[in-house]
Amino acid sequence: MNTTKVIATRGGENILNKLYLTIDGKKNSISCDRVLNKQYNIRFIIEIVEEKLSYTDEILGDKLVDSSLGEFLIKPDSEIILSNEDSSFNNKLNFNLAFDKECFVGVKIYESNPINSHGALEVIPVPTDIINVYVYFSETKKVNEKTDDIQYVFDGYNHLGFFLVDLPRMKKVIELEYGKKELDLVVEFSTSELIDKLFEEEIIMIVWGINPYTYPIYSSEYSKLIKPLLGEEFKQEGIFNIDEKINELSIVPGYELSTWPKFLEKEWPKIKLQGKGKKTYLKPFCLKNDDSETVITSFLVYREEGILEKNEPLLNVDLLYS
């Protein structure tokens, strides 16, 4: 079984363009040909690999670096430090590396940008893009990626959040109720029973009243595999009954709700619903830095056996600063 450690911080070229992995006093530069000269949310993933990497390129972003630092004699008491040039970022990797032999050290670096940058995101005081730095230790020079089905959608949202929905079935419900007319669904969701009808049809999950920010959304049947990447479970969550016949849902920003039915003309990213059962979780996670500040808030979508008596949408919650 792979062993994974995840570290989060914020920074730019002071970290990313002057990054080192020091093994028993030998300093090894982790270089990127591209100068990364803006601020990022940075996630370091350090993994001991038995056969396969836990996380695929598809869920980490656009690959900027894929290289080997070489072969090193790693002992159980080896001192391994991840740092930048002036040591303002300095982390001793003090989890037990299960080697007492030569092993290969590989590095991959990815940049992940949201699909859309909503105007509200331009004024928030923290970065909105993500850099993933993946450092792995392996007894074999060549490692493969796992084929476990983890999906990923990364986008920016304002305070109206987002919703996951079966759009064709949503269209049928609304047209049966209102006919073919233009609607502001923000108003209808707040003042009518429309959202309850959509819940009854088991076709929608909704997050509303959140911090304007960029949020990765993951879908996986293997929550134990993906959770180390995401950090701590948030104290609140969304839980919904979703029709077991539905295999995937479209993800639509909440600010589009005011433009019904115009937003149906757009192509929206879709995410699979994995696992078995109607009970479907939309669970937020907070990846924090050493000062317990949230750096990345992610969502995990997965099914479980069971049926809810009542849907529990995630409403009016501080996912960034609490």
Side-chain angles (χ1 to χ4, degrees):
M1 189 174 191
N2 290 17
T3 300
T4 306
K5 180 182 179 69
V6 177
I7 301 166
T9 190
R10 289 194 171 106
E13 60 184 328
N14 63 312
I15 294 177
L16 294 168
N17 297 318
K18 299 175 182 178
L19 191 61
Y20 298 93
L21 186 71
T22 303
I23 302 175
D24 289 333
K26 183 178 179 182
K27 201 172 184 181
N28 303 278
S29 175
I30 298 174
S31 60
C32 181
D33 292 338
R34 184 172 140 200
V35 176
L36 301 168
N37 56 5
K38 65 178 183 179
Q39 295 294 299
Y40 292 92
N41 300 312
I42 308 172
R43 176 168 48 194
F44 293 93
I45 308 157
I46 301 96
E47 185 169 46
I48 303 167
V49 179
E50 288 189 353
E51 293 181 0
K52 295 182 178 181
L53 297 173
S54 293
Y55 308 114
T56 63
D57 293 349
E58 286 74 18
I59 68 165
L60 295 175
D62 297 326
K63 191 189 296 180
L64 306 179
V65 173
D66 188 351
S67 65
S68 172
L69 295 184
E71 191 174 8
F72 300 85
L73 175 61
I74 304 291
K75 302 176 182 179
D77 61 350
S78 287
E79 184 179 65
I80 302 176
I81 299 171
L82 185 62
S83 65
N84 63 343
E85 190 169 65
D86 63 6
S87 294
S88 57
F89 171 76
N90 190 290
N91 280 267
K92 184 180 288 188
L93 308 182
N94 57 355
F95 64 113
N96 184 20
L97 292 171
F99 299 108
D100 194 6
K101 59 178 73 174
E102 296 284 334
C103 77
F104 295 91
V105 181
V107 177
K108 298 186 179 189
I109 299 178
Y110 306 82
E111 182 179 20
S112 189
N113 310 112
I115 298 170
N116 300 292
S117 293
H118 189 268
L121 303 180
E122 296 175 2
V123 297
I124 64 174
V126 291
T128 56
D129 298 334
I130 297 173
I131 290 288
N132 288 300
V133 181
Y134 200 167
V135 181
Y136 57 92
F137 299 80
S138 171
E139 293 185 37
T140 59
K141 189 171 185 178
K142 182 175 176 57
V143 294
N144 300 310
E145 293 179 344
K146 280 185 177 289
T147 56
D148 294 327
D149 198 1
I150 301 174
Q151 270 199 304
Y152 165 74
V153 174
F154 184 37
D155 207 348
Y157 308 101
N158 71 359
H159 66 284
L160 290 176
F162 58 90
F163 57 104
L164 290 75
V165 67
D166 184 319
L167 284 173
R169 289 176 63 175
M170 181 184 189
K171 184 173 183 287
K172 288 182 181 180
V173 171
I174 293 178
E175 288 186 351
L176 184 63
E177 188 76 14
Y178 296 91
K180 296 184 177 181
K181 60 186 290 188
E182 294 183 359
L183 296 168
D184 183 340
L185 294 183
V186 175
V187 174
E188 298 303 324
F189 281 6
S190 303
T191 61
S192 75
E193 297 181 355
L194 177 58
I195 189 62
D196 295 318
K197 293 181 184 296
L198 296 172
F199 284 149
E200 287 171 10
E201 290 293 318
E202 300 177 344
I203 61 172
I204 194 169
M205 308 170 73
I206 189 164
V207 175
W208 190 328
I210 61 173
N211 312 81
Y213 198 46
T214 54
Y215 296 94
I217 304 170
Y218 299 88
S219 170
S220 177
E221 186 176 353
Y222 308 99
S223 59
K224 287 184 179 179
L225 173 66
I226 190 69
K227 282 181 179 180
L229 197 66
L230 310 185
E232 304 173 10
E233 293 187 25
F234 204 81
K235 57 189 175 183
Q236 294 171 260
E237 60 188 7
I239 317 175
F240 307 82
N241 286 321
I242 298 294
D243 188 340
E244 290 180 272
K245 296 177 184 177
I246 296 175
N247 297 316
E248 62 181 11
L249 294 174
S250 297
I251 302 177
V252 184
Y255 56 78
E256 292 284 349
L257 285 168
S258 61
T259 63
W260 178 269
K262 190 175 181 181
F263 75 74
L264 294 178
E265 300 170 6
K266 300 180 181 180
E267 289 290 329
W268 298 108
K270 294 181 179 181
I271 200 160
K272 291 181 180 178
L273 301 183
Q274 304 186 70
K276 295 180 180 180
K278 281 191 176 184
K279 194 175 181 181
T280 310
Y281 286 85
L282 184 56
K283 184 173 291 192
F285 287 77
C286 303
L287 185 62
K288 299 184 177 183
N289 62 16
D290 290 339
D291 296 322
S292 296
E293 298 170 333
T294 297
V295 176
I296 300 172
T297 298
S298 306
F299 289 87
L300 178 60
V301 181
Y302 63 96
R303 290 184 181 272
E304 265 188 12
E305 296 284 359
I307 300 175
L308 289 171
E309 291 186 7
K310 185 179 180 181
N311 288 283
E312 300 176 17
L314 192 61
L315 304 175
N316 301 320
V317 58
D318 183 353
L319 295 172
L320 190 55
Y321 301 111
S322 66

